[in-house]
Amino acid sequence: MTAFTGEFWRGDSTGFAAAATSRLFNHRRPAARPRAVLRAAHAADVAAGVKLAAAEGLQVAVRSGGHSWPAWSLREDTLLIDLARFTGMSHEPGSGIVAVGPAVRGGLDLDPYLAGHQRFFPVGHSPTVGMGGFLLQGGIGWNCRGWGWAAESVESMEVVTAAGERVRCSETENADLFWAARGSGPGFFGVVTEFRLRTRPRFRALTRSTYVYPAELAPEVLSWYLAARSEVPPTVELAAVGCTPPGSDTPVLIIDGLTFDGGPASLAALGTCPVVGKALASSVAQPVDFADLQAEQLRANPEGHRYFADNAFLTGAPSQLLPALIPAFTPLPTDRTFTVLGDFTPLLSRPRPEMALSVQTDLYFAAYVIGASAGDDARCRSWLDGVMDRVAPHSAGCYLGDSDLAVRPDRIMSAAAWSKFQQIAAIRDPDGRFPGYLGTPLQ
Ligand SMILES: Cc1cc2nc3c(=O)[nH]c(=O)nc-3n(C[C@H](O)[C@H](O)[C@H](O)COP(=O)(O)OP(=O)(O)OC[C@H]3O[C@@H](n4cnc5c(N)ncnc54)[C@H](O)[C@@H]3O)c2cc1C
């Protein structure tokens, strides 16, 4: 019997059911359950867990922050290695590198820690997202458009391999693992026990403009958005958001621009919409606190709800995109649901490192459908399916973080990257110890 420092539950032991599901953000959960759960205390536990799984003929599922929308960490015939206790953070003042455990929550834990050192890392917008899944998928963090994928700022990682060995990987050590870990997300064939991240100096000022339009103006506003976005500098994170404001039952369309040290002039193009005079409200080039932005994200993604999400990197002329996009913004199926058309992905002109993440365009669409009870599920699913049926013909691929490949397969890597990924997987995980994607990515 393997001795672990952390906690271990078999399927028939008290506490197993809670250990298997209690840290999952989405309350809409698949029926799959692991055979056993290891809440590891340290990397040696993780290595012992991988070896135990091999001895018992099980695969290995992993959970860091528990925020994947489809609950990827719930898989049949697995040992689930839960990294909840991997919450360490350590900043090296000389290099600006911060070492983080994979269960560190980007906004709630890492950002305040780095603020104390006057440093910043582009964590996920929603403060509760775990660093593990976020970084492995690439990571659309704050100002991704200007600063790039969060994974670009990973200097190195500690990984437990499918053979149960503890290795470091970076561009110069175990470079194949490092390449695969930056973008393969839940398809990765190892357990990352620590990330070392390059931080940047903390921003000095955040400035934001918002214009709130009636949702029925979506044709005019989205048409303008698709043309005007090229006029907005890369220091601005720009989005069109369809949502229902708290306390209202009428959806609106919000044009939102946020700049990190870009200053008010960088937001000027947001005021050029031809129907700007019909805006219900506006707030132009106002200072905003990062804490307020994070609180807004927490309100938009409430705990205890049932989520359906999907997305696409869009390609095509505005005249083709508009008829597909407009129905995604109104009407919305529930009062919590929101849709986003965003300039969230790195500028295509930016140089970027070689990594598995290899599909993107410069225009991102995502829908987050939020129900309160199981009774909402069929309506939510059907609305999202309808939206994605119209949007999918204009998709060049999808971002793993907001995807559900079991429902709608899409491309997640270029053909060359996918082939390289499979070759590395065959060498690093010849026995298929890690279960891979839930659903098959398109090629
Ligand atoms: C409310 C909310 C807001 C979000 N906002 C953003 C956002 O702003 N930007 C963005 O990019 N994404 C966002 N996402 C998507 C999110 O990044 C992904 O769902 C991500 O997988 C969550 O990581 P996690 O560690 O919390 O999740 P988990 O469910 O714990 O991990 C997902 C899967 O990733 C793999 N994995 C995780 N950690 C490890 C590890 N240490 N080693 C090996 N494999 C591992 C496993 O296969 C695991 O099942 C959001 C999700 C939610 C629910």
Side-chain angles (χ1 to χ4, degrees), residues 62 64-69 73 83 125-126 130 133 136-137 140 190 192 399:
V62 186
S64 287
H67 270 57
S68 84
W69 303 108
S73 52
L83 302 169
H125 293 77
S126 188
L136 285 167
Q137 291 153 187
I140 300 181
V192 182
Y399 173 54

Side-chain angles (χ1 to χ4, degrees), residues 299-340:
R299 279 196 300 278
N301 296 286
E303 300 270 350
H305 283 64
R306 302 172 70 87
Y307 289 77
F308 300 77
D310 205 345
N311 75 94
F313 294 124
L314 296 177
T315 179
S319 59
Q320 296 169 316
L321 296 178
L322 270 175
L325 289 172
I326 290 166
F329 285 81
T330 182
L332 301 172
T334 68
D335 58 1
R336 296 273 194 186
T337 294
F338 62 102
T339 48
V340 179

Side-chain angles (χ1 to χ4, degrees), residues 14-374:
T14 308
F16 169 82
T21 60
S22 62
R23 292 204 313 112
L24 295 173
F25 177 81
N26 194 347
H27 278 218
R28 186 181 63 83
R29 293 160 183 170
R33 291 292 179 272
R35 293 266 199 92
V37 180
L38 167 62
R39 188 163 296 158
H42 41 53
D45 262 2
V46 174
V50 171
K51 287 177 182 161
L52 177 70
E56 298 198 358
L58 298 176
Q59 291 184 307
V60 173
V62 186
R63 182 175 300 154
S64 287
H67 270 57
S68 84
W69 303 108
W72 283 317
S73 52
L74 281 182
R75 303 293 290 266
E76 294 288 357
D77 298 325
T78 53
L79 166 65
L80 166 60
I81 300 186
D82 187 329
L83 302 169
R85 292 168 69 170
F86 286 64
T87 53
M89 295 182 282
S90 162
H91 176 248
E92 297 169 5
S95 63
I97 298 277
V98 65
V100 300
V104 164
R105 297 166 301 178
L108 282 187
D109 304 326
L110 180 58
D111 187 67
Y113 176 73
L114 289 179
H117 298 278
Q118 283 306 305
R119 304 296 294 179
F120 187 70
F121 187 82
V123 295
H125 293 77
S126 188
T128 48
V129 170
M131 294 302 284
F134 172 74
L135 290 168
L136 285 167
Q137 291 153 187
I140 300 181
W142 293 96
N143 194 26
C144 188
R145 187 178 182 217
W147 293 333
W149 300 103
E152 294 180 40
S153 297
V154 178
E155 184 246 12
S156 61
M157 307 176 196
E158 298 281 351
V159 175
V160 174
T161 66
E165 289 164 353
R166 293 169 59 187
V167 300
R168 167 170 291 278
C169 68
S170 68
E171 279 180 352
T172 53
E173 285 172 281
N174 295 297
D176 59 332
L177 274 184
F178 191 62
W179 178 90
R182 296 198 293 175
S184 63
F188 186 56
F189 32 77
V191 185
V192 182
T193 53
E194 184 183 86
F195 295 90
R196 284 170 55 83
L197 309 175
R198 285 186 287 266
T199 61
R200 59 178 52 246
R202 199 161 183 86
F203 51 84
R204 292 178 306 283
L206 284 171
T207 313
R208 184 185 198 186
S209 287
T210 51
Y211 296 81
V212 182
Y213 292 97
E216 55 270 24
L217 289 179
E220 291 87 344
V221 176
L222 293 178
S223 171
W224 161 82
Y225 182 98
L226 290 174
R229 65 196 193 89
S230 62
E231 306 299 319
V232 178
T235 50
V236 176
E237 181 171 294
L238 180 66
V241 181
C243 64
T244 308
S248 162
D249 55 8
T250 311
V252 296
L253 176 52
I254 300 176
I255 298 298
D256 194 11
L258 175 71
T259 183
F260 289 74
D261 289 334
S266 61
L267 297 165
L270 274 72
T272 62
C273 180
V275 292
V276 70
K278 294 184 181 172
L280 302 169
S282 62
S283 164
V284 181
Q286 293 301 306
V288 59
D289 282 342
F290 195 60
D292 290 341
L293 293 173
Q294 293 203 312
E296 209 172 276
Q297 292 288 331
L298 284 176
R299 279 196 300 278
N301 296 286
E303 300 270 350
H305 283 64
R306 302 172 70 87
Y307 289 77
F308 300 77
D310 205 345
N311 75 94
F313 294 124
L314 296 177
T315 179
S319 59
Q320 296 169 316
L321 296 178
L322 270 175
L325 289 172
I326 290 166
F329 285 81
T330 182
L332 301 172
T334 68
D335 58 1
R336 296 273 194 186
T337 294
F338 62 102
T339 48
V340 179
L341 178 66
D343 283 61
F344 279 166
T345 52
L347 289 182
L348 295 171
S349 54
R350 284 181 78 257
R352 69 165 191 206
E354 274 292 306
M355 53 185 180
L357 200 164
S358 47
V359 168
Q360 72 153 101
T361 65
D362 62 358
L363 186 60
Y364 187 62
F365 170 79
Y368 307 92
V369 183
I370 309 177
S373 69

